[in-house]
Amino acid sequence: MATGSGKTFTAVTAIYRMIKFAGARRVLFLVDRGNLGRQTLKEFKQYVSPYSPYKFSEEFLVQHMKSNQIDKTARVCISTIQRLYSMLKGEEIDPELEEESLFDHSDLFKEPPPVEYNPAIPIETFDVIITDECHRSIYSLWRQVLEYFDAFIIGLTATPNKQTFGFFNQNLVMEYPHELAVADGVNVNYDVYRIRTQITQAGSKVEAGYYIDRRDRETRALRWERLDEDLEYVPEQLDRDVVSIGQIRTVIQTFRDKLFAEIFPGRKDVPKTLIYAKDDSHAEDIVKIIREEFGKGNEFCQKITYKTTGKKPEDLIAEFRNSYFPRIAVTVDMIATGTDIKPLEIVLFLRTVKSRTYFDQMKGRGVRVINPNDLQSVTPDAFAKTHFVIVDAVGVCEEDKTDSRPMERKPSVSLEKLLQAVALGNTEIDVISSIAGRLARLDKRLNPEERAEVKKLGGGKSLKELTGELVLAIDPDKHIEKVKKDNPEIKEPAPDQIKKAADKLIKESVKPLHNPELRRKLVELHKTTEQTIDTISKDAVIEAGFSADALEKAKGLVTSFEQFIKEHKDEITALQILYSRPYKERLRFEEIKALAELIEKPPYLWRIDRLWDAYAALEISKVRGAGSHRILTDLVSLIRFALHQEDELEPYAEHVETRFNKWLAEQERTGKKFSDEQMFWLVKIKEHITGSLSIDKKDFEYTPFKENGGIGKAYQLFGEDLWKMMDELNEVLAA
């Protein structure tokens, strides 16, 4: 079953039924590390029986093995395979050995003596054995543990390999792939964002005569050494033989700078990010540099490995999962498989991975779904988890290591064009897969009214059902099943028969998309909710600044915006006012808000920050505040700059601040001085005008004026001058 799609829950359900209805006396649930055992116990404790008012652990005794004694009354025993092995040998186990997955380091262990019969643990002790992560936990060193018992063996994995199928005699009970899990809404899809650096790509060379540090791997003790010959190294040596601090820092700086601009545009809180390092020493270097570059304290970034000092690794994992801090966790392989971190939205690779199975497990940490409220409890500014992003800083995604590729096969083609192609008869698998991936992501963003409208236009089928049918229609196994179903006499379908069945299934699945009203609605909803992620990362490190392609996009955006202003200057109230100098009347907040809402909808989709950054790309010397958070009234500054009424594009707050200081200086020249308390109120009035364009009497009924005495206090401080001063500030500051 796809990573994150509920293997443990499925197993617990099966175990419950085997005990309650099938006479199973005792079931063994095997895991390969301690934190997965604790996670499994939690699943048993949370499982609510569909047949009684009790939870699993209330109805049946569940023992989490922490000693070498099996509770004879336990119906389920959860154990690491390491502990069970030691129990059969009649030996105690160091608890620390249970915290590390020994299967990832099998080369560290010699071949053990064979397990002999232990009368204290007879072979009939368990009726059924469930082995988690069975793609690796049943071979070589540990196979004899499983085969010791006279029990049925059930394996759980997201990434079966040839050994797995061989061990189970090709007996695949069921499968649930990543693509179908995405279509069903139990997984989220992913995008890939590439960061390239010169050293990562080509290595480097240090000439003789320079001083370098030599560092002990274990103690990290440093000594200086003067090179007596050139030191030249290739990318494969990075962070093993050679550590390039500049290379790590450049990747982290690029990640930091692109995070809110391109990877998750518009966000303020760093999304929960998991970084894979090569080893513990590499992880230490990464943590140190992240803390320096982000400057948000030690709790912001934590190392979670078997060598973590201070807090226990399981406590750090719990904090990473459930608390605001840490925002970034750096690991080697401790969180690589099985560990459930639902709020995770970024997986950053700073290490290469050769194993297809292992890579699939590692990236699978990000696929978990989470409801918006739970996500917002740890990442307050996240709306919903619609996808996660793999940030590839070492080219790990460029080789075909995994069976579950991104469903997005044509990321550079718009959804509108893909739907048009289908309407014209295109049934290419890449096209259908791309549509399914985008519709699955869109489904997570819709409200009940939008879902109902899509279902109506889809002939009674929900968006999730439509997506599921698309995924099934491009499944090769379904094509073969279709041939056999239609032609029972055929045992081995020919390629042309399979192709014919595939065409038939695909054409049937895309029928609803031939409805132009449905296509239009999907495109409209997609455009308003889609976040654009750059999956073809510009190598900002090798080539700093905007590429020619990006400049063309910025120029097109600016040209379209300025053309829009000219065409609508007589229709839209805000533009009518801003277009006339001097202004015919005062601009109101409601009018700017209406204009902002208009341009943010299709067909324009012009966010204020996007327009601002486009001007910055073209005229950086004339633009201030690029890349920072924009407020609604910044649209006033944008329009004034577009109309060439201002020589510089500056945030509206800076514009108001400048005019406020000028007004204060003018007051001082006329002999008027303000007390500290009066200045406090004047600053609050200025801030209100910055966000709302004006101030009047009723505004004193709200924060921050109300809690400081409201209009009564303001009148007490300024007397009859208050009304004249308010009119003056409205005119001067907002002008």
Side-chain angles (χ1 to χ4, degrees), residues 14-27 60 74-76 126-128:
I15 292 169
Y16 181 86
R17 293 179 60 79
M18 284 189 283
I19 293 174
K20 195 168 183 72
F21 302 116
R25 292 173 299 109
R26 187 181 296 113
V27 176
F60 303 114
R75 305 302 296 274
V76 176
F126 303 106
D127 293 326
V128 179

Side-chain angles (χ1 to χ4, degrees), residues 156-432:
L156 309 176
T157 180
T159 51
N161 52 34
K162 290 179 181 179
Q163 279 188 303
T164 315
F165 284 112
F167 181 88
F168 286 100
N169 300 318
Q170 313 299 321
N171 185 19
L172 180 64
V173 178
M174 61 139 332
E175 64 177 330
Y176 188 63
H178 170 73
E179 291 80 6
L180 194 56
V182 171
D184 286 346
V186 296
N187 270 187
V188 295
N189 204 6
Y190 62 91
D191 288 320
V192 178
Y193 188 96
R194 184 78 165 91
I195 296 176
R196 300 174 189 267
T197 74
Q198 187 65 46
I199 295 177
T200 309
Q201 295 288 108
S204 189
K205 178 181 178 181
V206 183
E207 295 178 353
Y210 283 95
Y211 281 91
I212 60 166
D213 287 337
R214 298 286 190 190
R215 186 173 69 188
D216 185 279
R217 279 181 176 273
E218 291 300 315
T219 66
R220 295 177 67 82
L222 293 172
R223 66 178 177 84
W224 276 11
E225 181 179 298
R226 188 173 186 269
L227 287 176
D228 52 13
E229 59 182 36
D230 292 349
L231 171 67
E232 191 166 354
Y233 59 91
V234 294
E236 290 74 23
Q237 293 175 278
L238 278 172
D239 304 304
R240 294 197 188 280
D241 300 327
V242 180
V243 175
S244 171
I245 297 298
Q247 179 254 354
I248 300 173
R249 191 177 300 280
T250 300
V251 169
I252 297 305
Q253 286 175 341
T254 305
F255 171 64
R256 178 200 63 197
D257 295 343
K258 300 295 184 183
L259 181 56
F260 301 130
E262 295 177 13
I263 300 173
F264 277 96
R267 297 272 283 271
K268 296 178 185 176
D269 294 313
V270 174
K272 287 281 185 175
T273 299
L274 180 64
I275 299 179
Y276 286 117
K278 290 181 179 177
D279 55 30
D280 198 79
S281 178
H282 188 209
E284 291 271 6
D285 292 332
I286 294 168
V287 168
K288 180 175 181 291
I289 289 171
I290 287 174
R291 288 172 175 174
E292 290 171 355
E293 293 300 328
F294 279 86
K296 295 182 181 291
N298 289 355
E299 62 181 354
F300 174 80
C301 178
Q302 295 282 348
K303 182 186 76 167
I304 305 179
T305 69
Y306 303 111
K307 296 182 180 180
T308 298
T309 56
K311 293 182 180 179
K312 292 180 180 179
E314 61 264 30
D315 293 337
L316 286 171
I317 290 172
E319 288 178 3
F320 189 46
R321 178 189 295 123
N322 303 317
S323 305
Y324 184 80
F325 288 118
R327 302 308 302 167
I328 298 176
V330 183
T331 191
V332 179
D333 56 22
M334 189 170 192
I335 314 179
T337 61
T339 306
D340 186 6
I341 312 285
K342 290 181 179 178
L344 193 63
E345 294 184 88
I346 297 175
V347 177
L348 194 161
F349 282 89
L350 271 166
R351 61 173 286 191
T352 54
V353 184
K354 294 180 180 179
S355 164
R356 173 197 65 80
T357 301
Y358 196 42
F359 176 59
D360 210 17
Q361 289 284 337
M362 293 167 80
K363 71 178 185 180
R365 297 314 96 212
V367 303
R368 263 75 172 175
V369 296
I370 182 171
N371 74 58
N373 289 337
D374 289 343
L375 177 61
Q376 288 160 16
S377 70
V378 295
T379 307
D381 71 341
F383 174 72
K385 183 176 178 180
T386 60
H387 69 298
F388 75 100
V389 177
I390 294 174
V391 178
D392 182 2
V394 291
V396 70
C397 294
E398 293 178 2
E399 294 180 19
D400 189 14
K401 296 183 180 70
T402 176
D403 290 335
S404 61
R405 299 182 179 184
M407 291 173 69
E408 193 64 72
R409 306 287 178 83
K410 294 188 176 289
S412 60
V413 182
S414 69
L415 177 63
E416 185 174 9
K417 288 184 179 178
L418 290 171
L419 292 174
Q420 287 172 350
V422 166
L424 292 170
N426 188 317
T427 55
E428 289 178 18
I429 287 178
D430 281 359
V431 170
I432 305 303

Side-chain angles (χ1 to χ4, degrees), residues 43-85:
E43 197 81 52
F44 276 100
K45 287 182 175 180
Q46 291 177 341
Y47 183 86
V48 179
S49 167
Y51 306 102
S52 73
Y54 304 108
K55 293 185 177 178
F56 193 116
S57 57
E58 294 170 341
E59 192 169 351
F60 303 114
L61 181 61
V62 179
Q63 181 188 14
H64 185 200
M65 304 287 291
K66 294 183 179 178
S67 70
N68 283 11
Q69 295 296 318
I70 296 175
D71 189 328
K72 301 298 182 184
T73 62
R75 305 302 296 274
V76 176
C77 295
I78 303 169
S79 174
T80 61
I81 201 164
Q82 300 96 302
R83 176 172 291 280
L84 192 61
Y85 174 74

